[in-house]
Amino acid sequence: MINIIKTRIQQKYRTFVYPDGPPPELPPRFVGRPVVSKAQCLHEECGKCVSICPVQAIYLSPETKGPIIDTGKCIFCRQCEGACVNGVIQFSRNYQLAVSEPENLLVKAGVPDHCDARNKVAEKLFKKSLKLRQVSAGGCNACEADTIVLGTLAWDLGRFGMQFVASPRHADGILITGPVTRNMHEALLKTYRAVPEPKIVIAVGSCAISGGPFYDHPEQNNGAGGIVPVDLFIPGCPPHPLTIFDGLLRFTGRIK
Amino acid sequence: MPGSSFIRTVNAEAVDFRDIPVMDFADFRESIIEEIRAGGRISAMPACPAEDGLLRIIAVLSLPVSGEILIGSTCINGSWPSITPDCTAAHWFEREIAEIHSVTPNGHPWLKPIRFQPPHDISLQEYSLQCGNAKFLGLDGEESHEVAVGPVHAGIIEPGHFRFLCHGETVYHLEISLGYQHRGIERAMKGGPGVRALHYMETLAGDTTIGHATAYCMAIEALSAISVPPRSLAIRAIAAELERIANHVGDLGALAGDVGFLPTMSYCGRIRGDVLNMTALLCGNRFGRGLVRPSGTAFNLDKNLIDELMLRLKSTEKDITSAVELMFDTPSVLSRFEGTGALSEETAREAGLVGVAARATGMNCDVRNEFPYGMYCFSQLHACTWNTGDCFARAYVRWLEIRSSIEFIRTQLLNLPDGPVSCKTAPISKEKITVSLVEGWRGEICHVAVTDKEGRFAFYKVVDPSFHNWFGLALALRNQQISDFPLCNKSFNLSYCGHDL
């Protein structure tokens, strides 16, 4: 017993003060939300960003005369940034990537750098208690790991009444990772149906939003969207825990 | 003489594919059995279509005693006399070949799909087999019953289906049915390397990003005959050991949680994040995405970063030590760990186990020593073993490895070789085969790459350590209480997506 107390003192109090204080420090080389500047884009004369992107997340817009990056597909490999001749594409350190409307996943010149993840229905129903069932449907265990970590005492999601539960029957919604493999399709649907109404769906990681690195493989479904209605999209490969944490809190109106 | 017709090579070296002998099947079979009996391991057993509608099976055997890798092959026509009855370690490999190529190993004791993926010659639309729908081993009799779990489990964990054949509380056998994570990576690698190749490797098993990316880069570097700068090798090794520490710490915490010892569970969950954040210092990503590149590493370490890493390593070491020693000093934890899910060294060897699970039975196997690569050629780590083969041993080996990895990283950080971290790439040579072995945190990772006449991948085979070890979990659970499954499962902590590919 005395050892347990000694260790407890040695390990200190480690729960982050965020959102009441500043967020935990991100690594200097952190890759956050891309920014498309209004600088001179060579457009179709160049197109290097489009061809270098391994997951077809970039296309050129005739409307803005510049690139559009789909952060729901982007795996944040940063290759487009290196390929861009005029520095039109740059990756910021902004960790706020979660959005509740799919069109806000698109980053183009002139869009605000702040995304809106708030969902009024979720705020009304789940602000003080949100129980989620997690389903990994082809996830590589990175998104899963960055979701598990939210339950540890450093992030302590339980402070906000949020918790991952064992049965879909006990849940208010599901949190999906992975591109939804053909072999998990049915299991995901059954889990979704087992959650009582009203319910929400959260897609975490580029796989769950669009298929990620496996985009257009016949063995998967290009994300959860075609199978269940998604209410919150959290991009990243994998998203930093802070991105998921912040997304969940904004979604339920805990941070405004 | 057995093995005499096999070609001999070493870790991450390219040899002409035409030099791989095509042996008579009886010789092929006999040689494999002999080599495995003499202490060798089957590292991979890919197959590819050969002329006249035949199927060419290629055996990649690794010999820890000499540090050599043997490659041999044979051609079969639709079926072959199964190797498994005389060599248990081949059983999962034969099931894989049977599933992918629609062929039959005659006399295989338990033949059924391992991934529920369509055979290479039919399209996905034509494939009607439902994942998990196989003929499972049954158990009949009074008080016997079966418990089916998954694919969706209770925690935040990947999907897989488990079927326990029980008599009362005692598990007679555990049937493991996987494939839910199959994303078609090997199929997509064919004709590559394409723009996604490295990203496939980094997401093959997300918690082993560095391990698989390193094995892939070693294969590419061998095929294009380049040698990368020593500084990048050191950075790769540092990242690999950080990956090992992070996962081992996470596992020790989860093991504590599975026996209800909450202090260590809480501390280790947090400390795991601290270690992942050290990896993020290297490259911005907590799992090491974007760090390892074919030609070296994408990021360098400067003095400030090295100092910061040394500082964090010191405080993390202190935290880990107090959290883990607390657990191992607690009798109620030990009484749950000791004797649970025990495997003998003999069983582990026969089943072909690798990594932590094998070392916990006393097997002295570690690719970093046996088939040294990269920085491990210059800086040796001893293999950490224990001899009881139970959950305690699997936990304790992890703790030994954490300490040895911390010491290794410290040595590397203080003695980083000077010079650049990347070199020029070169075109990939044609009609070559290369085998790269890496000790991932779960155990031996094996990648086999074969190039065609245009220098593209004819096929790319990945063997994750989980491929060898899933059956070990089934064996460890025999005659255990069904309630000990979470503990046993976590003590192996195998990858679902690494297996399913």
Side-chain angles (χ1 to χ4, degrees):
Chain A
M1 190 65 204
I2 192 77
N3 277 345
I4 293 181
I5 295 167
K6 262 165 64 188
T7 311
R8 178 67 196 85
I9 293 165
Q10 195 265 320
Q11 296 278 348
K12 301 186 196 119
Y13 179 84
R14 307 282 184 122
T15 305
F16 298 135
V17 290
Y18 188 72
D20 297 330
E25 201 189 330
L26 291 165
R29 288 167 177 171
F30 177 77
V31 187
R33 192 167 194 255
V35 178
V36 176
S37 68
K38 287 178 179 158
Q40 192 63 46
C41 171
L42 298 175
H43 211 241
E44 301 207 328
E45 283 167 38
C46 170
K48 279 183 184 161
C49 55
V50 177
S51 53
I52 205 165
C53 180
V55 290
Q56 287 125 290
I58 306 178
Y59 54 95
L60 295 173
S61 152
E63 178 200 337
T64 63
K65 297 270 180 286
I68 295 184
I69 304 175
D70 186 343
T71 53
K73 281 186 182 171
C74 180
I75 54 169
F76 298 80
C77 69
R78 235 177 169 156
Q79 287 185 77
C80 50
E81 189 182 36
C84 185
V85 192
N86 283 354
V88 178
I89 300 176
Q90 265 164 356
F91 280 83
S92 71
R93 292 174 50 76
N94 182 0
Y95 60 85
Q96 286 177 13
L97 288 150
V99 298
S100 51
E101 297 298 330
E103 61 266 22
N104 291 341
L105 289 167
L106 303 180
V107 171
K108 52 190 168 187
V111 295
D113 60 352
H114 177 82
C115 335
D116 189 14
R118 192 172 164 200
N119 178 314
K120 287 200 175 128
V121 180
E123 182 174 348
K124 185 162 173 261
L125 293 172
F126 305 122
K127 187 175 182 182
K128 292 188 175 164
S129 168
L130 177 62
K131 309 291 166 195
L132 293 168
R133 172 61 263 194
Q134 202 274 332
V135 180
S136 169
C140 73
N141 212 12
C143 286
E144 287 81 350
D146 274 349
T147 307
I148 292 173
V149 83
L150 300 180
T152 64
L153 44 82
W155 298 92
D156 194 13
L157 210 49
R159 289 182 279 170
F160 310 100
M162 290 188 199
Q163 194 189 355
F164 291 94
V165 293
S167 167
R169 303 269 186 222
H170 304 158
D172 301 310
I174 53 176
L175 185 148
I176 303 168
T177 53
V180 187
T181 52
R182 177 187 173 279
N183 287 351
M184 266 306 280
H185 189 142
E186 197 193 342
L188 172 65
L189 258 184
K190 280 188 174 172
T191 310
Y192 175 73
R193 288 188 190 131
V195 178
E197 296 277 359
K199 54 189 164 189
I200 51 147
V201 175
I202 300 167
V204 171
S206 62
C207 282
I209 300 173
S210 69
F214 313 103
Y215 176 64
D216 274 354
H217 277 205
E219 292 88 351
Q220 54 79 56
N221 190 61
N222 283 349
I227 302 172
V228 290
V230 180
D231 302 291
L232 179 64
F233 303 84
I234 307 183
C237 187
H240 192 276
L242 180 56
T243 303
I244 309 176
F245 187 76
D246 176 80
L248 290 172
L249 295 187
R250 283 177 194 279
F251 178 65
T252 50
R254 280 280 189 166
I255 310 180
K256 283 174 188 162
Chain B
M1 193 185 139
S4 58
S5 320
F6 276 63
I7 194 168
R8 281 165 192 269
T9 176
V10 291
N11 194 359
E13 191 165 86
V15 290
D16 278 328
F17 191 57
R18 279 165 300 190
D19 290 349
I20 305 298
V22 181
M23 303 155 68
D24 176 59
F25 184 81
D27 280 352
F28 176 77
R29 188 178 190 278
E30 211 45 47
S31 306
I32 294 177
I33 295 166
E34 293 276 326
E35 289 295 346
I36 301 307
R37 278 196 190 135
R41 289 200 295 267
I42 304 178
S43 286
M45 207 192 269
C48 60
E51 286 160 15
D52 305 327
L54 298 177
L55 182 72
R56 188 170 178 190
I57 300 179
I58 299 159
V60 177
L61 310 177
S62 48
L63 308 185
V65 179
S66 58
E68 288 173 308
I69 293 168
L70 304 187
I71 312 174
S73 74
T74 187
C75 281
I76 57 121
N77 187 6
S79 68
W80 71 97
S82 172
I83 303 168
T84 305
D86 296 304
C87 173
T88 315
H91 78 129
W92 215 269
F93 291 102
E94 289 197 313
R95 281 172 63 180
E96 182 184 39
I97 295 172
E99 178 173 24
I100 299 179
H101 300 279
S102 315
V103 288
T104 315
N106 289 325
H108 190 288
W110 201 231
L111 191 63
K112 56 187 170 197
I114 63 167
R115 294 193 187 103
F116 296 88
Q117 67 179 97
H120 72 120
D121 53 352
I122 73 164
S123 76
L124 211 63
Q125 285 75 28
E126 294 168 81
Y127 184 71
S128 58
L129 204 54
Q130 199 194 4
C131 191
N133 191 2
K135 195 174 173 294
F136 292 103
L137 198 65
L139 184 67
D140 268 336
E142 269 185 55
E143 289 184 30
S144 74
H145 61 107
E146 293 178 15
V147 180
V149 180
V152 179
H153 300 284
I156 303 177
I157 182 173
E158 296 175 70
H161 181 67
F162 300 105
R163 201 169 271 246
F164 303 87
L165 311 180
C166 304
H167 182 255
E169 288 288 300
T170 309
V171 179
Y172 271 38
H173 184 62
L174 162 63
E175 282 269 66
I176 299 172
S177 179
L178 302 172
Y180 297 93
Q181 298 281 68
H182 180 62
R183 298 155 295 174
I185 290 176
E186 283 185 351
R187 184 194 49 73
M189 286 294 283
K190 231 176 247 179
V195 284
R196 290 190 198 173
L198 188 61
H199 305 292
Y200 288 141
M201 295 301 130
E202 291 185 331
T203 50
L204 205 144
D207 49 28
T208 320
T209 297
I210 300 290
H212 279 291
T214 304
Y216 168 74
C217 290
M218 279 162 59
I220 295 291
E221 286 149 12
L223 289 170
S224 48
I226 54 172
S227 53
V228 300
R231 194 174 173 91
S232 68
L233 295 179
I235 295 175
R236 284 181 187 181
I238 290 169
E241 298 310 320
L242 283 174
E243 186 169 272
R244 195 180 318 277
I245 298 170
N247 284 296
H248 282 357
V249 169
D251 286 352
L252 290 175
L255 282 166
D258 277 337
V259 299
F261 190 64
L262 301 185
T264 300
M265 184 193 82
S266 311
Y267 306 141
C268 284
R270 185 203 85 232
I271 300 166
R272 174 174 194 244
D274 294 343
V275 184
L276 292 176
N277 288 339
M278 287 166 73
T279 304
L281 277 183
L282 300 176
C283 64
N285 184 290
R286 285 157 47 94
F287 297 87
R289 304 264 158 95
L291 176 65
V292 184
R293 289 281 169 267
S295 72
T297 55
F299 295 93
N300 203 343
L301 300 183
D302 60 16
K303 194 178 169 304
N304 287 341
L305 197 50
I306 293 171
D307 290 346
E308 174 71 19
L309 281 167
M310 287 295 282
L311 211 69
R312 290 206 195 183
L313 198 62
K314 194 176 168 193
S315 69
T316 308
E317 183 182 25
K318 200 173 147 209
D319 285 350
I320 301 176
T321 308
S322 86
V324 174
E325 283 187 344
L326 176 67
M327 176 174 81
F328 284 126
D329 282 344
T330 305
S332 62
V333 171
L334 295 181
S335 73
R336 287 283 283 112
F337 281 8
E338 284 170 356
T340 307
L343 282 176
S344 68
E345 183 179 350
E346 196 191 348
T347 310
R349 215 173 269 286
E350 203 184 325
L353 300 195
V354 296
V356 173
R359 288 193 287 275
T361 68
M363 270 172 77
N364 201 2
C365 59
D366 189 324
V367 175
R368 293 172 293 176
N369 290 326
E370 297 168 327
F371 310 93
Y373 56 95
M375 208 56 203
Y376 305 107
C377 295
F378 313 106
S379 188
Q380 291 275 314
L381 273 155
H382 66 280
C384 304
T385 61
W386 199 250
N387 55 12
T388 50
D390 50 6
C391 286
F392 171 78
R394 287 186 283 274
Y396 199 65
V397 165
R398 283 184 167 90
W399 171 223
L400 295 174
E401 290 189 8
I402 290 170
R403 286 197 287 193
S404 124
S405 294
I406 290 175
E407 212 37 62
F408 178 87
I409 295 173
R410 194 168 279 140
T411 315
Q412 294 307 316
L413 283 174
L414 291 175
N415 302 288
L416 267 190
D418 291 330
V421 291
S422 66
C423 63
K424 264 195 155 156
T425 53
I428 287 174
S429 19
K430 295 157 187 159
E431 294 188 86
K432 295 272 188 190
I433 179 169
T434 183
V435 176
S436 47
L437 295 176
V438 163
E439 185 71 21
W441 66 272
R442 283 192 183 90
E444 176 187 298
I445 293 170
C446 178
H447 287 205
V448 183
V450 174
T451 54
D452 61 14
K453 287 182 177 130
E454 274 82 49
R456 317 293 295 172
F457 289 141
F459 67 83
Y460 194 92
K461 180 93 213 103
V462 176
V463 185
D464 188 84
S466 310
F467 190 90
H468 300 273
N469 282 7
W470 271 112
F471 193 62
L473 171 62
L475 293 175
L477 213 71
R478 287 190 178 175
N479 294 317
Q480 300 295 306
Q481 298 265 305
I482 187 168
S483 50
D484 278 337
F485 174 68
L487 179 59
C488 288
N489 187 29
K490 191 43 94 175
S491 73
F492 280 82
N493 194 14
L494 301 174
S495 173
Y496 299 74
C497 55
H499 172 275
D500 294 345
L501 301 175

